Amino acid sequence: MPGKRLLANAENIQRAAEILKQGGLVAFPTETVYGLGADGLSETAIQSVFDAKGRPAYNPLIEHVASMELARELLILNPEQEELFWELGKRYWPGPLTLVAHKAPQVPTLATGGLDKVAVRVPAHPVALELLRLVGGPVVAPSANRSQRPSSTMADHVLLTLADYIDAVLDAGPCEFGLESTVLDITQTPPRILRLGALKLSEYSFDLSEGSQGSPGRTDKHYAPLIPVIRIVETAELKQANANTALLVYSEGLFSSRLTERLPNDPEGYARGLFAALYRLEALKPQALWIEAPPQTPDWGSIWDRLKRAA
Ligand code: TXA
Ligand code: MG
C-alpha cells in the first residue's frame, strides 16, 4: 500500500495531525522506534490501536506529548513524585525515557489497560514533536508492529505488519536508537525500572531497582521474527550451523552465508540495526535462526532483554 506512506515533510505532518484529530491511526517516527499513533483521549481511537496491533487489552499504552507541562497534566503526583518528575523530565526529555505515575481523570482507563497509573513520554524526534504539537493533546503510541512481532525501526517494516490497519505512516527513515524507551515507575521507592531501554542505566544518579513484574506486557512473547526455531548460541557454536540456518552475528570475519546478518559490535550500533535485521532474516524464510550471544555486560542489558524474549 504505497499510498499510505507519507514522506515526513511539513505538509504531510499537518495531514497526519488532521487524521489523528479525526480519530485515525498514523504511524510516526520517534528517536527509539516507530509508534502507532492515535488520539490519546479518545476511547474509540485507542480501541482501534488495540485492534490494529492485536494487542491484549490489559497491556497499557504510552501517552506521548510535546512538552513536560503537557505530560504533567496527565498525572497526579505527591510532592516527592512531583520533584522527581521535573528533575527527570528536565534532564532526559525530549528523549527515550517513559515515566509511569498515577493518572489524571481525563486519561481513559482503556489506555492504561485498566490500571490507575499511566505511562507518559516526550519523544525527541523532530517529526514526532511537530506532529504532537499540531495535534495539541496526547497521542497514544505503542511500537508500530503487530503484537509479538519485532518493533519497527523503518517505515517499510511498519507497512509489512500494519499496512491493512493504519491510515498512514510518516516516513523519516531509520530510527536513531532502534530500541524502545526505558520505562520507569516513579510511584515506587526507589523508582523502579519496568523495562530496560534506550536510556542507559549508567546515566542515572538515582538508586533504581530493576523489575520485570510491574509492567503488564513484560511476560508475553515479544519481538519474535516468524522463524520456527530461534536460539542464542555462543560464538564457537556458530560453526555448526547448517545451510538453512540464518545467523545474526556481530563478530568480525567469521561467516559468509547468504543467511547471515552482521550487526556492529558496540551496543548502540547493534541496537540501531537489530529489529530491521530480524525482519530481513525472516524474509529469507530460514528453518532456524541462531543469534550470537552478545557480551554479558550491563551496557548490553537492554539488548539481552529483547533477544531473550525473541528466542
Ligand atoms: O520507545 C517507546 O517507548 C515506543 C515509542 C513509539 O515511543 N513505544 C513503545 O510502546 O515501546 P509499547 O506499547 O510497545 O511498550 C510500552 C511498554 C509496555 O511494556 C507496557 O506494558 C508498558 O510500557 N507500560 C505502559 N503503560 C504502563 C503502565 N501504566 N504501567 C506499567 N507499564 C506500562
Ligand atoms: Mg511494543
Side-chain angles (χ1 to χ4, degrees):
M1 272 183 217
K4 295 196 174 178
R5 185 197 304 269
L6 304 179
L7 191 68
N9 56 30
E11 190 188 336
N12 283 333
I13 297 173
Q14 179 78 54
R15 193 163 140 200
E18 291 308 321
I19 298 173
L20 288 174
K21 285 198 259 187
Q22 287 159 21
L25 295 184
V26 178
F28 61 95
T30 81
E31 78 282 25
T32 58
V33 299
Y34 276 74
L36 172 58
D39 181 337
L41 297 178
S42 156
E43 301 229 342
T44 328
I46 294 167
Q47 184 58 51
S48 55
V49 169
F50 282 98
D51 295 344
K53 280 193 62 111
R55 178 165 172 141
Y58 60 78
N59 192 5
L61 307 176
I62 301 171
E63 296 275 10
H64 293 64
V65 285
S67 71
M68 240 185 297
E69 289 70 24
L70 286 172
R72 176 65 188 87
E73 287 177 17
L74 301 176
L75 307 174
I76 294 173
L77 302 171
N78 70 24
E80 293 93 280
Q81 293 161 4
E82 179 93 41
E83 196 179 324
L84 192 55
F85 170 84
W86 291 105
E87 189 174 344
L88 290 169
K90 281 181 194 150
R91 185 153 164 195
Y92 295 117
W93 280 345
L97 173 67
T98 293
L99 297 179
V100 171
H102 292 286
K103 76 172 198 70
Q106 74 270 27
V107 177
T109 43
L110 202 57
T112 66
L115 301 173
D116 59 357
K117 295 181 194 173
V118 64
V120 296
R121 158 166 133 81
V122 182
H125 198 293
V127 172
L129 279 176
E130 178 62 3
L131 181 68
L132 292 169
R133 203 184 58 74
L134 291 171
V135 171
V139 169
V140 286
S143 53
N145 51 279
R146 287 279 287 169
S147 199
Q148 303 192 347
R149 308 278 281 122
S151 301
S152 302
T153 54
M154 44 198 281
D156 283 349
H157 297 154
V158 175
L159 290 168
L160 185 71
T161 73
L162 289 173
D164 293 343
Y165 303 91
I166 61 176
D167 295 300
V169 53
L170 281 171
D171 187 348
C175 300
E176 181 191 344
F177 287 96
L179 209 64
E180 302 83 351
S181 61
T182 301
V183 180
L184 182 73
D185 184 341
I186 61 169
T187 68
Q188 310 209 31
T189 313
R192 186 164 184 214
I193 293 193
L194 303 180
R195 177 177 71 182
L196 292 170
L199 192 67
K200 287 287 159 301
L201 271 170
S202 52
E203 289 180 34
Y204 292 104
S205 59
F206 302 91
D207 180 22
L208 300 171
S209 60
E210 187 194 324
S212 57
Q213 304 311 312
S215 207
R218 302 295 295 157
T219 50
D220 299 348
K221 176 180 167 193
H222 208 141
Y223 311 111
L226 299 176
I227 300 173
V229 178
I230 302 172
R231 290 181 56 210
I232 301 175
V233 305
E234 292 306 323
T235 308
E237 217 184 312
L238 289 167
K239 290 197 288 284
Q240 295 159 28
N242 69 34
N244 294 318
T245 295
L247 302 178
L248 182 60
V249 303
Y250 63 88
S251 291
E252 299 276 330
L254 283 171
F255 322 98
S256 57
S257 156
R258 177 180 68 89
L259 302 181
T260 300
E261 285 271 343
R262 179 174 291 110
L263 293 169
N265 63 6
D266 65 286
E268 285 76 26
Y270 190 103
R272 191 174 302 125
L274 174 61
F275 291 133
L278 290 177
Y279 276 116
R280 281 195 300 272
L281 288 169
E282 167 190 298
L284 302 174
K285 303 199 188 312
Q287 288 170 355
L289 167 62
W290 288 10
I291 301 170
E292 180 182 12
Q296 296 275 6
T297 52
D299 47 348
W300 288 84
S302 45
I303 290 166
W304 265 109
D305 170 80
R306 304 311 189 264
L307 293 181
K308 279 190 205 147
R309 278 140 45 70

